[in-house]
Amino acid sequence: MKKTILTVFCVAVFIMSIITCVAYADGEQVLVIVNNSVSQADISAKDLGNIFLGKKNSWDGGQKAVPVTLESGSAHETFLKLYVKKNGSQFSTFWKQAVFTGQGIPPKSVSSEEEVVKFVAANPGAVGYISPATAHDGVKILAVK
Amino acid sequence: MAKFGKCFATLFLLSVFFLNPAFAADDLIIHGLVSQGYLKSSDINYMTLSEDGSSEYSEFVINFQKQMDDKLRLGLQLMSRDLGKEGNNEVKVDWGYGDYKFNDRWGLRLGRVKVPFGFYNKGRDIDMLRTTVLLPATIYMEDYRQFLTAFNGGSLYANLPAGKGDFEFEFAFGGSDLDPDSGIVQDILMRFNNSYEAKMTAGLQAKSALVKALNLGFSHIGDPERGGSTDNGYSAKILWNTPVEGLKVGGTRTSLDLHMDETLIYQPIIIPSPPAPAATIVTPGFQTKVDLNYKFLIDIGSLEYTINKFTFAGELMAAHGQQNFQVAATPIASASAISPAQTSQGSYLQCVYRHNDRHEWSLYRGEFFLDRNNKNWNNWQKDTCASFRYNINPSWSVKIEHHWIDGVGLVQKNLNTNLDRKWNLIAIKTTYNF
């Protein structure tokens, strides 16, 4: 009985690996925006991801980095996939673990891209992400190397 | 003293959070969870009286965190839990500390800090972080939880970039709580008591044929009065987030120094009349004190690989334990010491499949040997576990799992009178977090 369950599980794992690998290619984009006080013009993908994981807390000049995230949506998933290397569920679990084990406080989270722009424009050191089509007056675009 | 220190730390942190008008209330981050579980096993009582089904399996957690400035963060987590004889819903400080980050790479935490034991110890009480109800007990031994959850002390930590990956280091130090009435303390002392009394009885019966014929012997009366403490512990972690996306490997070394003591009371041993011509006192009644120093050195190697919807994990542990029992002099024997040593070994391999945001599956196989040089089913526990988790919404989950278990190496002997080799366990748990 135990061997049968193990065999069925292993076969299922193999099949689902193939299916999920095929389903991953796409060409979505996001804009990374920062408050006008941020002097940096660009950032590496790894450093950007680390800011949203709480591993990097300041910009190169020493100014405090203040990340803001979306609660959900395609821009959120795309940004996490490109720069944080996690999906929304993994990102949420990462921060729940950090909160309940005392490792850190998650970034502020908002429900719309307009709120992201508003937050980034109003807070020195702030960084967020939006879809390319979203209006982003009052903030700077940060290039990701 | 330790209780006073924790009360002081709690009151201090709460006063900083709630009474200091310099900090706006919206800066205070509050999260929590409530969970309720149910355990049902066949033939064996596991952690609680599970053979008849037990809902003595619950947790309530609330935590407060506040970023005081760019470098200093304060946090406090209160927890109440119940698992058989453990916890009994008493509210305790799970962790609480000040975390000072010198820069992006280095930081220091002082207070009550979580122990970096293996990959998953820090989150062992946080049910919604994993697919399974129970972490693999072959590494995360539930009985040893009270020694391994947190240290009253501090930790130095670092995150150092290394190419496309990075290294995480942590060194935690301090002591931890030891509940003298917990199942594991009772089990350790009960094992010693049984062997000590068997040895004394054998000596007595060797001296007197009548004592042997009547099968008289030593057996303490009442529940022994116990005490316990731990100190001088440390746990060191190194973790490499490799350049391969989703792959991390690491290792931890944990050292624990446990102290336990108990007072045993024995009634006089009397040969009655008849068969003796007159009632004869063979040994007078007495009491004696047992002191136990128990040193653990536990090494764990860990690996986790997340690819798409799958997470594969494996851990291997070697735990060297050196016990030193010292027994005070009694009317029938001088003071003596017994120093048994053993190396335990544990491991597991796990596969988790997260089908979507609602459904997750897990299968793991774990093996534990209490003494790797003495492998028999009383000393080993081999566990195959299949789990299913359903997320009703992002905050509320329900899990169910079935364990097929061979051996009783991790079963509390004080909860069982008869032990069967093959047994099953069903665990169900629901958790709501906010």
Side-chain angles (χ1 to χ4, degrees):
Chain A
M1 177 64 180
K2 213 162 46 177
K3 278 186 179 171
T4 309
I5 291 171
L6 279 169
T7 308
V8 168
F9 193 86
C10 290
V11 170
V13 163
F14 179 72
I15 293 169
M16 295 310 292
S17 297
I18 294 168
I19 293 170
T20 51
C21 282
V22 170
Y24 240 137
D26 56 49
E28 296 168 36
Q29 286 184 331
V30 288
L31 285 182
V32 178
I33 55 172
V34 292
N35 182 270
N36 286 328
S37 66
V38 176
S39 57
Q40 253 177 266
D42 55 33
I43 190 170
S44 70
K46 184 184 172 188
D47 281 351
L48 180 61
N50 281 341
I51 286 176
F52 283 83
L53 291 174
K55 294 180 176 180
K56 181 174 170 61
N57 304 114
S58 55
W59 298 103
D60 286 351
Q63 183 185 20
K64 187 184 177 191
V66 184
V68 58
T69 64
L70 284 163
E71 288 170 1
S72 59
S74 61
H76 180 60
E77 291 292 339
T78 303
F79 176 81
L80 294 179
K81 190 170 72 179
L82 287 175
Y83 304 120
V84 186
K85 310 300 180 191
K86 294 184 187 298
N87 61 33
S89 172
Q90 291 166 342
F91 185 68
S92 170
T93 301
F94 173 89
W95 276 111
K96 279 181 182 174
Q97 177 159 2
V99 164
F100 284 102
T101 59
Q103 312 296 296
I105 296 174
K108 183 176 176 60
S109 181
V110 296
S111 57
S112 71
E113 297 187 20
E114 290 71 25
E115 285 180 83
V116 171
V117 176
K118 196 173 163 187
F119 180 89
V120 170
N123 290 278
V127 53
Y129 48 87
I130 53 175
S131 306
T134 303
H136 47 274
D137 296 336
V139 297
K140 293 199 307 191
I141 304 294
L142 184 70
V144 183
K145 292 184 284 189
Chain B
M1 185 62 192
K3 279 186 179 174
F4 173 79
K6 275 191 284 184
C7 285
F8 179 80
T10 307
L11 290 173
F12 172 75
L13 287 165
L14 285 173
S15 66
V16 168
F17 285 135
F18 295 116
L19 303 180
N20 191 336
F23 302 103
D26 60 358
D27 289 333
L28 180 65
I29 310 292
I30 301 175
H31 289 276
L33 70 87
V34 183
S35 68
Q36 176 63 54
Y38 177 79
L39 298 171
K40 175 80 176 84
S41 56
S42 65
D43 307 314
I44 295 282
N45 284 314
Y46 188 56
M47 299 190 290
T48 179
L49 298 175
S50 56
E51 197 173 341
D52 296 328
S54 174
S55 56
E56 270 193 316
Y57 184 23
S58 61
E59 283 129 20
F60 174 74
V61 173
I62 186 161
N63 82 47
F64 311 89
Q65 292 191 67
K66 188 160 193 164
Q67 193 71 43
M68 309 304 283
D69 58 32
D70 286 358
K71 293 183 181 296
L72 179 64
R73 177 172 55 88
L74 294 182
L76 171 71
Q77 181 157 291
L78 301 176
M79 180 175 192
S80 130
R81 71 189 291 270
D82 186 27
L83 180 56
K85 291 181 180 177
E86 315 287 333
N88 296 320
N89 289 320
E90 188 183 344
V91 178
K92 291 187 172 180
V93 176
D94 187 32
W95 53 261
Y97 50 73
D99 182 345
Y100 187 83
K101 286 196 92 165
F102 301 105
N103 51 45
D104 277 351
R105 297 184 176 181
W106 291 89
L108 177 68
R109 299 183 181 115
L110 290 177
R112 181 166 170 79
V113 299
K114 300 293 273 186
V115 177
F117 174 85
F119 268 1
Y120 308 111
N121 185 60
K122 286 186 173 182
R124 67 188 300 163
D125 297 317
I126 312 303
D127 181 67
M128 73 275 190
L129 299 179
R130 58 180 177 270
T131 306
T132 58
V133 176
L134 298 167
L135 278 172
T138 49
I139 298 282
Y140 301 98
M141 304 159 283
E142 195 58 36
D143 282 348
Y144 291 75
R145 180 192 172 284
Q146 60 173 309
F147 318 137
L148 293 168
T149 300
F151 286 149
N152 299 320
S155 72
L156 181 68
Y157 63 94
N159 185 285
L160 306 177
K164 287 187 176 177
D166 59 65
F167 282 100
E168 295 176 22
F169 298 97
E170 186 171 357
F171 182 81
F173 54 91
S176 57
D177 298 334
L178 184 55
D179 176 4
D181 294 321
S182 64
I184 183 63
V185 173
Q186 287 189 35
D187 243 31
I188 290 170
L189 292 172
M190 188 180 82
R191 272 181 230 162
F192 170 78
N193 296 344
N194 290 343
S195 66
Y196 176 65
E197 287 165 3
K199 189 179 165 190
M200 286 200 303
T201 297
L204 193 68
Q205 291 188 353
K207 289 179 187 171
S208 165
L210 203 48
V211 168
K212 188 173 183 181
L214 293 170
N215 197 27
L216 298 175
F218 291 94
S219 179
H220 66 270
I221 57 170
D223 193 24
E225 191 178 305
R226 289 174 291 266
S229 66
T230 73
D231 50 31
N232 300 325
Y234 72 81
S235 188
K237 176 185 92 170
I238 179 169
L239 186 154
W240 181 29
N241 291 303
T242 71
V244 178
E245 193 179 317
L247 175 64
K248 59 183 183 180
V249 295
T252 60
R253 164 165 282 200
T254 304
S255 172
L256 299 169
D257 199 350
L258 315 181
H259 308 282
M260 306 171 199
D261 60 71
E262 63 175 349
T263 301
L264 300 174
I265 299 171
Y266 294 93
Q267 288 184 320
I269 293 179
I270 300 169
I271 299 176
S273 171
T280 311
I281 296 175
V282 183
T283 63
F286 64 91
Q287 68 177 45
T288 187
K289 191 168 182 218
V290 179
D291 281 303
L292 166 63
N293 287 305
Y294 199 166
K295 289 180 185 293
F296 279 111
L297 188 63
I298 309 170
D299 292 322
I300 300 178
S302 311
L303 182 147
E304 182 190 284
Y305 182 42
T306 299
I307 177 166
N308 301 333
K309 296 184 176 184
F310 289 92
T311 297
F312 302 92
E315 297 194 283
L316 180 64
M317 172 189 75
H320 181 71
Q322 174 72 55
Q323 302 178 13
N324 181 22
F325 289 97
Q326 296 193 325
V327 192
T330 69
I332 61 158
S334 55
S336 61
I338 303 171
S339 300
Q342 69 184 19
T343 298
S344 304
Q345 181 180 304
S347 61
Y348 73 85
L349 286 171
Q350 181 180 27
C351 175
V352 174
Y353 174 66
R354 293 183 180 84
H355 180 62
N356 52 36
D357 284 346
R358 287 191 183 271
H359 305 96
E360 298 177 19
W361 304 82
S362 161
L363 183 70
Y364 72 70
R365 165 74 177 178
E367 295 192 347
F368 174 82
F369 299 95
L370 187 63
D371 182 352
R372 68 181 177 191
N373 296 318
N374 179 21
K375 293 184 177 176
N376 63 67
W377 67 268
N378 272 304
N379 277 343
W380 77 46
Q381 190 152 312
K382 301 175 182 180
D383 182 0
T384 302
C385 171
S387 313
F388 172 66
R389 169 174 168 165
Y390 178 69
N391 298 315
I392 296 166
N393 58 45
S395 300
W396 186 14
S397 66
V398 180
K399 303 175 186 178
I400 184 166
E401 67 190 27
H402 191 285
H403 297 253
W404 294 266
I405 302 175
D406 174 5
V408 292
L410 290 164
V411 170
Q412 282 179 20
K413 308 303 183 281
N414 66 77
L415 288 177
N416 295 279
T417 47
N418 296 308
L419 296 171
D420 287 348
R421 174 174 171 176
K422 302 267 178 124
W423 52 288
N424 297 310
L425 172 72
I426 293 172
I428 303 171
K429 205 170 191 187
T430 183
T431 297
Y432 180 80
N433 74 89
F434 57 92

